[in-house]
Amino acid sequence: MAESPESDADDEQVLTIDFRRYASALRKYIWLLAALIIMSVAGAVVYTTRQTPIYQATASVQVEPKLPDLLGTGDVFNVAAGASSAEYYKQQKQVLSSYTLIQKTIDSNDLIPKLLDEKERKDLSHDDQLDLATQRLQDALTVKYPDNDRIFYVSVKSSSPEDAKAIANAHVSTYESYAKGLLQLSSNTASEALQAEFTEAETKLRAAEQKIYDFQAKNDMVAVTIEAQQSLVQGNILSFTSKLNDAQAHLIELSAKLAEMKKEQGEDVLENPSVMMGDNPSYETLRTQYYTEKSHLIELEKDLGPKNPDYVIQKQKTDLLYQAMQGQMKILMRGTQDLYNAQVATNNGLLAEIDKNK
């Protein structure tokens, strides 16, 4: 149906009236809107300028896909291809982010003053300062491996650009020393114990191979057949696989023990079941002394009261024994972590030797 000219004129008039009404309202509140926008911008500027700037520095390190000579034969195991390579790089990323390596970086480069202010360090022992600084740097440090080009990127955030740069470079240097076998962690004894059986098996295997060679040379049989070589290699694979199974079981046991220790970390040192997981004569001696001195303290409190000088001295002695037990708990935790790391290295060495024989 066609509309009349009068209807079109009425619609145009209605639209015109609505537009003018909205324009009038806008002009009425334009200054209020402008004031709100200016206040918002000013508030954002003030907030931004009052915030402490955070800087990030990134250091890079090239990681060659090789494992150390765990057998003492002079060979370096190359794991450049396949699943072993991926697992190797995954392990190296974990090493770069690990508590132990970060702690070594802080301790070797005296970085505690850069990570903790004077107020935070005031009432803490050196070990507690080191522990707190390590946790803080572990939160501020990230490791990325974006491309398969053997380059790892270590980034550190800090309110000081110089500190961020220095810490990032120091951590990369610590890792380089570790990768070259120069880093001496507190797990040397543990590593030797874990690898003793592995080294013994390797020595026996080398001796057996030498006897075979000597027999063949004596009887003009040095040109070993392909079948004999295959049999020898298969024997190597079976031997290392057997050792790997035992090592993997030990690694699972250490992992479970370490997880339980971390779970019970906040418990009272006298009630913490983690101490039952390790043979620690020092802790047992301290606990016996603590209960003896605690009993004496209770008797002094009953006889002399808590304000007596003898009671105060005995209280200090009891507190020191308790702190010593806490220190032994930390040593037990770190020792278990070192045992776990050493076992991981041993497993990787066994895997690399199996791959080489395959």
Side-chain angles (χ1 to χ4, degrees):
M1 178 183 293
E3 296 182 357
S4 64
E6 291 83 355
S7 178
D8 292 339
D10 292 341
D11 290 343
E12 182 179 356
Q13 184 177 8
V14 170
L15 290 174
T16 302
I17 292 173
D18 288 342
F19 176 77
R20 289 176 178 174
R21 183 175 62 186
Y22 292 135
S24 176
L26 182 61
R27 285 194 300 269
K28 182 178 179 181
Y29 295 104
I30 187 66
W31 294 110
L32 179 59
L33 292 174
L36 289 174
I37 292 173
I38 293 172
M39 290 176 63
S40 299
V41 172
V45 170
V46 171
Y47 176 79
T48 302
T49 55
R50 289 187 176 182
Q51 294 299 307
T52 301
I54 300 298
Y55 301 92
Q56 177 173 294
T58 301
S60 61
V61 58
Q62 180 173 334
V63 178
E64 292 297 332
K66 295 179 180 179
L67 289 172
D69 178 16
L70 297 179
L71 301 179
T73 61
D75 297 328
V76 178
F77 307 138
N78 194 312
V79 291
S84 295
S85 176
E87 183 64 25
Y88 177 78
Y89 284 119
K90 179 181 178 182
Q91 179 199 355
Q92 297 312 300
K93 184 176 181 181
Q94 292 174 346
V95 169
L96 275 164
S97 307
S98 68
Y99 178 96
T100 301
L101 197 71
I102 292 174
Q103 186 183 66
K104 185 65 179 178
T105 297
I106 295 173
D107 199 25
S108 300
N109 296 275
D110 193 22
L111 297 178
I112 292 179
K114 295 182 181 297
L115 295 165
L116 305 178
D117 58 37
E118 185 177 352
K119 183 178 180 181
E120 291 175 311
R121 303 194 307 268
K122 183 177 179 181
D123 298 325
L124 296 178
S125 65
H126 176 75
D127 288 345
D128 290 336
Q129 290 180 29
L130 183 59
D131 182 62
L132 179 58
T134 302
Q135 295 177 23
R136 182 160 300 175
L137 180 53
Q138 197 168 32
D139 293 336
L141 185 145
T142 57
V143 178
K144 294 183 179 180
Y145 176 53
D147 303 310
N148 294 325
D149 58 0
R150 305 181 185 179
I151 303 296
F152 283 80
Y153 298 92
V154 178
S155 298
V156 175
K157 292 182 178 179
S158 174
S159 58
S160 167
E162 293 80 9
D163 289 351
K165 178 180 178 181
I167 294 172
N169 289 333
H171 192 59
V172 167
S173 296
T174 303
Y175 172 76
E176 288 175 347
S177 297
Y178 160 83
K180 293 176 183 177
L182 300 178
L183 185 63
Q184 299 299 318
L185 298 175
S186 60
S187 59
N188 286 342
T189 303
S191 299
E192 293 172 1
L194 286 171
Q195 295 176 14
E197 289 187 351
F198 175 59
T199 304
E200 181 182 0
E202 174 64 12
T203 302
K204 291 180 179 179
L205 181 60
R206 300 289 182 186
E209 291 175 350
Q210 185 63 42
K211 288 181 180 180
I212 292 173
Y213 178 82
D214 292 342
F215 175 80
Q216 292 170 343
K218 183 178 180 180
N219 295 278
D220 297 326
M221 299 171 58
V222 176
V224 184
T225 63
I226 294 178
E227 290 78 9
Q229 293 180 16
Q230 289 177 340
S231 176
L232 181 61
V233 171
Q234 288 172 355
N236 291 346
I237 293 175
L238 289 174
S239 176
F240 286 119
T241 300
S242 176
K243 287 294 180 183
L244 179 61
N245 290 336
D246 294 338
Q248 189 64 30
H250 193 201
L251 182 64
I252 293 172
E253 178 185 351
L254 285 173
S255 178
K257 183 182 294 186
L258 188 61
E260 188 64 24
M261 285 183 173
K262 291 181 178 179
K263 178 181 176 182
E264 304 292 343
Q265 195 169 8
E267 295 290 334
D268 186 347
V269 68
L270 294 171
E271 301 176 359
N272 195 321
S274 297
V275 297
M276 306 304 296
M277 298 182 183
D279 183 12
N280 194 335
S282 298
Y283 175 83
E284 294 299 329
T285 301
L286 287 171
R287 185 169 64 172
T288 301
Q289 293 177 354
Y290 174 81
Y291 280 121
T292 301
E293 300 300 334
K294 184 70 173 179
S295 298
H296 187 200
L297 180 67
I298 294 173
E299 293 176 0
L300 288 176
E301 185 178 14
K302 290 180 180 178
D303 297 339
L304 305 177
K307 294 184 179 181
N308 187 275
D310 291 340
Y311 174 86
V312 173
I313 293 173
Q314 184 65 22
K315 178 70 166 55
Q316 292 174 348
K317 185 176 181 180
T318 306
D319 291 342
L320 287 174
L321 285 169
Y322 187 85
Q323 292 173 10
M325 287 190 293
Q326 289 179 320
Q328 287 296 318
M329 279 298 303
K330 291 181 179 180
I331 292 173
L332 178 62
M333 170 95 53
R334 292 171 185 169
T336 305
Q337 180 68 60
D338 291 338
L339 285 171
Y340 177 84
N341 294 340
Q343 188 66 62
V344 169
T346 301
N347 287 22
N348 288 333
L350 288 167
L351 279 170
E353 189 66 14
I354 291 172
D355 288 344
K356 187 178 75 171
N357 280 273
K358 287 181 179 180

